[in-house]
Amino acid sequence: MRVELLTVGDELLLGDTINGNAAWLGRRLADHGVEVTRSVVVGDETGVIIEAVTAALARADAVITTGGLGPTYDDLTRDALAEAAGVPLVRDPELETRLRERVAAAGREIRDMALRMADVPEGAGLLRNSAGSAPGLRVELPGGVVYALPGVPFEMRTIMDEVVLPELAGPPEVARRTLRTAGVWESVLATRLAEVEAMDGVRLAYLPQPAEVRVRVSATGTDAWDRLADVEKRIRELLGAAVYGVEDETLDRVVHRLLTQRTATVAAAESLTGGLIGAELSAMPGSSSTFAGGVVAYATDLKRRLLDVPGDLLAEHGAVHPDVAAAMAAGVRDRLGATYGVAVTGVAGPEPQDGRPVGTVYIGVAGPGNMRIVTCPKLPVPGAGRETRDVIRRMTVVHALDQLRRALLGLPADAAAEFVRLDREEVG
Amino acid sequence: MRVELLTVGDELLLGDTINGNAAWLGRRLADHGVEVTRSVVVGDETGVIIEAVTAALARADAVITTGGLGPTYDDLTRDALAEAAGVPLVRDPELETRLRERVAAAGREIRDMALRMADVPEGAGLLRNSAGSAPGLRVELPGGVVYALPGVPFEMRTIMDEVVLPELAGPPEVARRTLRTAGVWESVLATRLAEVEAMDGVRLAYLPQPAEVRVRVSATGTDAWDRLADVEKRIRELLGAAVYGVEDETLDRVVHRLLTQRTATVAAAESLTGGLIGAELSAMPGSSSTFAGGVVAYATDLKRRLLDVPGDLLAEHGAVHPDVAAAMAAGVRDRLGATYGVAVTGVAGPEPQDGRPVGTVYIGVAGPGNMRIVTCPKLPVPGAGRETRDVIRRMTVVHALDQLRRALLGLPADAAAEFVRLDREEVG
């Protein structure tokens, strides 16, 4: 089964919108063993849509389109599909009634243009949309079938999961799993995994983000899932604690789970990250049971006033120093009454601070009877200005959450000595 | 001049990576008056790349490819272009020397595979890459020219701006500008802008994000830029204070600028947003002059201990109440010694809290001699679970920054009464 994606919309060609729908569809279909062989974006033009659908069906068995099903004059997908099928658009009375009711319920009057959403190419199937106004369409063309879905992500995803995937997905012949790693450079991972790369019927893809790399493992063959399990086991042996989760198990989820298992809480003391660590620790539903709160001590003096960092320490070394990270972690843990305190101080740039270069970061993790201080001597970043700041801040968040995870699990602090190294550990 | 984009990479079809390169290229080219007529994604397969490039040049004057220029076995763009041009790949000695030096400087040994990056289709032009190892390629094919750029965003952007755009871009015939609005629903904007929608040679595109809508205005014709100026003036009259910036002038930049002009600082007291407001206020280079810091009082008791919210107020009404927002704003302003305090309390879900439904948010903005309390009675969100939390948190950040902006400018608090309304204002 070969599927192509066709995304319709001028806003995508202009780059006003990033094509998140295509990415989501690709992942969803791959997870169900359906291969996406091409993904095309065209503008809002009937002739171009017809041509693209026809060309896609000459190569693939099915096409999934998104976008162009709305009420405005530039929504042309239904017109294009009717023309491609050589049938007229007919107004579906049931859809019209439902549209009128929906708009009336919101206390508004329906515009004639909006009724276009009740028009359907004659003979097309309707794909139930339990999340919005207009259904998707199933149109049979000579070369194969077209599934036309709305561009609104939430509606598109609902129709896809409830209607289209059950129709399209057969049993998988490719088994895939994504292992999530933190703190280790892509080339270091690749070197450690050389023997896995060499295995027949196994493919690895490295998907780097700041301070994280997702390793996508694919195994093919009739025993794909068994092979995948073997490969995953070997990878975990080779990478050890660098693997923190699988699939959509993000670092904040892992930390939340570990804290919940220990009936423990955490508080965050932040400087250069400005609140991003707290934002991660509060992202999960139910995080109020594990996240107490935080202090963003951006101005140096606030580190003393809000977190009890000794004034003479700040006077002597400035704010970017391993002892300051430790004092912040201890201070926020005490002041907020949490089981753990995690703290960061560092230089996000663009200018050096207190004599430390951009990319210098210190992390403190204070736990019951234990304090760990970790140094990131130089986080590697491209470019300059705001982009650099964003990347350094993001890397700092990942390293801080990963160090909290390692402290919770009693794992060593060092991930890849190049970027993260233990400064010291104090017990008692 | 018609340009098509071709993005190469299995990871894009699988949805492991979102196609941010295509979006950036589309925007960049549009800004320079070059029309992107199609955007295609194909996997790592030589034959498919050749076919896609050939088909694209049958329709367009030039193709820009990204990806497939790296050192690994699945980087096939240069092989495909050589085959399409009917020429061999030849190793460029100067490139080889540079590659060897780069790797040696990093203290590593070069692998044979990496030397592939020095291979060039015979006769191809090299596009200087001042940001990385491998240059881009310019290959002339019978149907037109192919610009092959690496997939690494920073390198791709650098080559594009420094080499490709100067070659491609003629004088613009379309003038475009993006106006940024906050707090007003898309359909309300569209209704207010009905007369502009009706103008000849003018197009509006609405690009909604949580609690924000970017309005992209396009004017065509020989006097496009003059027309655009007139249209922008009219739009600003119709929308008033809802327009907070243009192009990439995000809310945090606007707030930073306004605070800088007033030599003022701000501190943030957060609950449901967990630190996201602080993260925004510290995003700009130089924000240490305007952002003092913040307190994330996630646990209810911390609102009393860290922000001096009266205990009896919390006992009587719970944490989600307009008076609590006001007390948090005043508390963080006092404790951190800032000119302004901005505070939010609310329910991000998935469960109601203190008898308030998901989506209830209160915002307090405390300034010198002035306190404004704003209610978001019910932020509109689709779906459930973590996605809902993310959207409500994001909307809360936008409304809070927008209310801070409005307070700084002495503008009224009400944006669209449906979602944001003034609870009360206290002076003195």
Side-chain angles (χ1 to χ4, degrees):
Chain A
M1 184 70 167
R2 294 159 61 93
V3 170
E4 292 200 9
L5 306 180
L6 179 65
T7 316
V8 179
D10 284 347
E11 72 280 9
L12 289 140
L13 292 177
L14 288 169
D16 284 325
T17 306
I18 288 181
N19 202 349
N21 279 351
W24 186 89
L25 283 166
R27 205 162 49 233
R28 204 62 153 195
L29 287 161
D31 286 342
H32 288 76
V34 177
E35 191 190 3
V36 171
T37 49
R38 191 173 302 215
S39 170
V40 175
V41 181
V42 296
D44 301 310
E45 221 177 298
T46 312
V48 174
I49 300 171
I50 295 172
E51 184 271 317
V53 165
T54 311
L57 286 178
R59 293 179 295 250
D61 308 303
V63 177
I64 299 173
T65 73
T66 59
L69 291 186
T72 64
Y73 69 93
D74 58 353
D75 287 308
L76 297 168
T77 301
R78 66 171 71 78
D79 305 72
L81 291 178
E83 200 173 326
V87 298
L89 282 174
V90 290
R91 185 148 296 178
D92 185 300
E94 200 181 317
L95 280 179
E96 179 175 347
T97 307
R98 212 185 309 156
L99 275 176
R100 288 188 182 277
E101 286 171 359
R102 251 185 117 96
V103 174
R108 289 175 298 160
E109 274 188 53
I110 199 160
R111 293 172 302 166
D112 281 351
M113 210 162 59
L115 289 174
R116 279 168 48 80
M117 289 200 291
D119 292 345
V120 174
E122 198 173 59
L126 300 185
L127 312 174
R128 184 169 50 89
N129 178 355
S130 61
S133 306
L137 302 173
R138 185 201 297 103
V139 179
E140 307 275 351
L141 293 179
V145 61
V146 181
Y147 297 92
L149 307 182
V152 180
F154 187 67
E155 300 187 20
M156 183 279 288
R157 294 179 186 195
T158 303
I159 301 175
M160 189 68 193
D161 280 345
E162 294 183 1
V163 186
V164 181
L165 265 180
E167 283 194 25
L168 283 179
E173 290 167 8
V174 182
R176 287 202 183 80
R177 191 141 213 232
T178 302
L179 304 182
R180 306 180 74 104
T181 72
V184 183
W185 201 236
E186 183 181 355
S187 61
V188 176
L189 292 176
T191 306
R192 289 202 208 156
L193 295 181
E195 68 171 80
V196 179
E197 293 258 22
M199 291 180 189
D200 269 348
V202 174
R203 269 185 87 164
L204 301 181
Y206 299 93
L207 310 159
Q209 292 170 303
E212 294 191 66
V213 178
R214 287 172 296 150
V215 182
R216 178 145 203 146
V217 190
S218 310
T220 50
T222 47
D223 57 346
W225 285 103
D226 289 341
R227 292 177 61 99
L228 184 65
D230 292 343
V231 173
E232 179 179 344
K233 185 156 165 281
R234 185 68 191 131
I235 292 176
R236 286 178 178 273
E237 286 167 7
L238 294 166
L239 298 185
V243 177
Y244 70 77
V246 297
E247 303 300 347
D248 63 350
E249 212 179 356
T250 47
L251 261 178
D252 73 285
R253 286 175 197 241
V254 173
V255 166
H256 175 65
R257 176 169 47 77
L258 294 173
L259 288 166
T260 303
Q261 286 163 355
R262 287 155 182 74
T263 334
T265 59
V266 63
E270 307 188 50
S271 174
L272 76 159
T273 47
L276 288 170
I277 294 174
E280 287 290 324
L281 292 171
S282 59
M284 278 292 286
S287 56
S288 56
S289 66
T290 59
F291 177 56
V295 169
V296 182
Y298 207 64
T300 297
D301 184 51
L302 294 180
K303 294 181 178 68
R304 182 180 60 74
R305 281 168 47 205
L306 300 179
L307 293 167
D308 310 312
V309 178
D312 50 0
L313 177 62
L314 293 167
E316 190 176 347
H317 296 293
V320 183
H321 190 273
D323 293 352
V324 174
M328 288 171 70
V332 81
R333 177 175 180 266
D334 290 351
R335 283 245 190 160
L336 275 67
T339 325
Y340 287 84
V342 60
V344 296
T345 182
V347 188
E351 298 301 323
Q353 189 193 332
D354 299 344
R356 312 271 177 177
V358 175
T360 310
V361 170
Y362 301 102
I363 299 168
V365 179
N370 183 287
M371 167 72 77
R372 202 179 260 191
I373 299 128
V374 171
T375 298
C376 308
K378 185 85 182 68
L379 296 178
V381 288
R386 181 156 170 161
E387 194 164 336
T388 299
R389 277 177 74 79
D390 287 348
V391 176
I392 290 182
R393 280 155 51 103
R394 183 65 213 154
M395 285 180 167
T396 303
V397 171
V398 171
H399 286 307
L401 293 180
D402 190 42
Q403 288 302 324
L404 176 58
R405 173 185 75 99
R406 286 168 178 269
L408 283 161
L409 288 169
L411 294 168
D414 309 55
E418 219 175 331
F419 301 118
V420 181
R421 67 162 188 260
L422 184 66
D423 180 276
R424 65 181 192 277
E425 190 150 11
E426 296 164 5
V427 179
Chain B
M1 184 70 167
R2 293 159 61 93
V3 170
E4 292 201 10
L5 306 180
L6 179 65
T7 315
V8 179
D10 284 346
E11 72 280 10
L12 289 140
L13 292 177
L14 288 170
D16 284 325
T17 307
I18 289 181
N19 201 347
N21 279 352
W24 185 89
L25 284 165
R27 208 163 46 233
R28 205 62 154 195
L29 287 161
D31 286 344
H32 289 76
V34 177
E35 191 189 3
V36 171
T37 49
R38 190 172 303 216
S39 171
V40 174
V41 180
V42 296
D44 300 311
E45 220 176 299
T46 313
V48 174
I49 300 171
I50 296 172
E51 185 270 317
V53 165
T54 312
L57 286 178
R59 293 179 295 250
D61 308 303
V63 177
I64 299 173
T65 74
T66 60
L69 291 185
T72 64
Y73 69 91
D74 58 352
D75 288 308
L76 296 167
T77 302
R78 66 172 71 77
D79 305 75
L81 292 177
E83 200 173 326
V87 299
L89 281 174
V90 291
R91 185 149 295 179
D92 185 300
E94 199 182 315
L95 279 180
E96 180 175 347
T97 307
R98 212 186 308 157
L99 275 175
R100 288 187 181 279
E101 285 171 0
R102 251 186 116 97
V103 174
R108 288 175 297 160
E109 276 187 52
I110 199 159
R111 293 172 302 165
D112 281 352
M113 209 162 59
L115 290 175
R116 280 168 48 79
M117 291 200 290
D119 292 344
V120 173
E122 197 173 58
L126 299 186
L127 312 175
R128 184 168 51 89
N129 179 357
S130 61
S133 306
L137 303 171
R138 185 201 297 100
V139 179
E140 308 274 352
L141 293 179
V145 61
V146 181
Y147 297 93
L149 306 182
V152 181
F154 187 66
E155 301 187 21
M156 182 278 288
R157 295 179 185 195
T158 302
I159 301 176
M160 189 68 194
D161 280 346
E162 294 183 1
V163 187
V164 181
L165 265 180
E167 284 195 24
L168 283 179
E173 291 166 6
V174 180
R176 285 203 184 78
R177 191 141 212 233
T178 300
L179 304 182
R180 306 180 74 105
T181 72
V184 183
W185 201 234
E186 184 181 355
S187 61
V188 175
L189 293 176
T191 307
R192 289 202 209 157
L193 296 180
E195 69 171 79
V196 178
E197 292 259 23
M199 292 178 187
D200 268 348
V202 175
R203 266 185 90 165
L204 301 181
Y206 299 94
L207 309 161
Q209 293 171 302
E212 294 192 65
V213 179
R214 288 172 295 151
V215 182
R216 179 144 204 145
V217 190
S218 309
T220 51
T222 47
D223 57 346
W225 285 103
D226 290 341
R227 293 178 57 100
L228 183 65
D230 292 343
V231 173
E232 180 180 343
K233 186 154 165 280
R234 186 66 190 133
I235 291 177
R236 286 179 177 272
E237 287 167 6
L238 293 167
L239 298 185
V243 178
Y244 70 78
V246 297
E247 303 300 346
D248 63 351
E249 211 180 356
T250 47
L251 261 178
D252 72 285
R253 285 174 198 242
V254 172
V255 165
H256 176 66
R257 176 169 47 76
L258 294 173
L259 288 167
T260 304
Q261 287 164 356
R262 287 156 182 74
T263 334
T265 58
V266 64
E270 307 189 48
S271 174
L272 75 160
T273 47
L276 289 169
I277 295 174
E280 287 289 324
L281 291 171
S282 59
M284 278 292 287
S287 56
S288 56
S289 65
T290 58
F291 176 55
V295 169
V296 181
Y298 208 64
T300 296
D301 184 51
L302 293 180
K303 295 182 177 68
R304 181 180 60 76
R305 281 166 49 203
L306 300 179
L307 293 167
D308 310 313
V309 177
D312 51 358
L313 176 61
L314 293 168
E316 190 177 348
H317 296 293
V320 184
H321 190 273
D323 293 352
V324 174
M328 288 170 71
V332 82
R333 177 173 180 267
D334 290 351
R335 285 245 189 157
L336 275 67
T339 326
Y340 287 84
V342 59
V344 295
T345 181
V347 187
E351 299 301 323
Q353 189 192 335
D354 299 345
R356 311 270 177 180
V358 174
T360 310
V361 170
Y362 300 101
I363 299 167
V365 179
N370 183 288
M371 167 72 77
R372 202 180 261 191
I373 298 127
V374 171
T375 299
C376 308
K378 185 84 182 69
L379 296 178
V381 287
R386 183 156 170 163
E387 192 165 336
T388 299
R389 277 177 73 80
D390 287 349
V391 175
I392 290 181
R393 280 154 52 102
R394 184 65 213 153
M395 286 180 167
T396 302
V397 171
V398 171
H399 286 305
L401 294 179
D402 190 44
Q403 289 302 325
L404 176 57
R405 173 185 75 100
R406 287 169 177 268
L408 283 162
L409 289 168
L411 293 168
D414 309 53
E418 220 174 329
F419 302 117
V420 181
R421 66 159 191 262
L422 185 66
D423 180 275
R424 65 179 191 275
E425 192 151 10
E426 295 162 7
V427 181

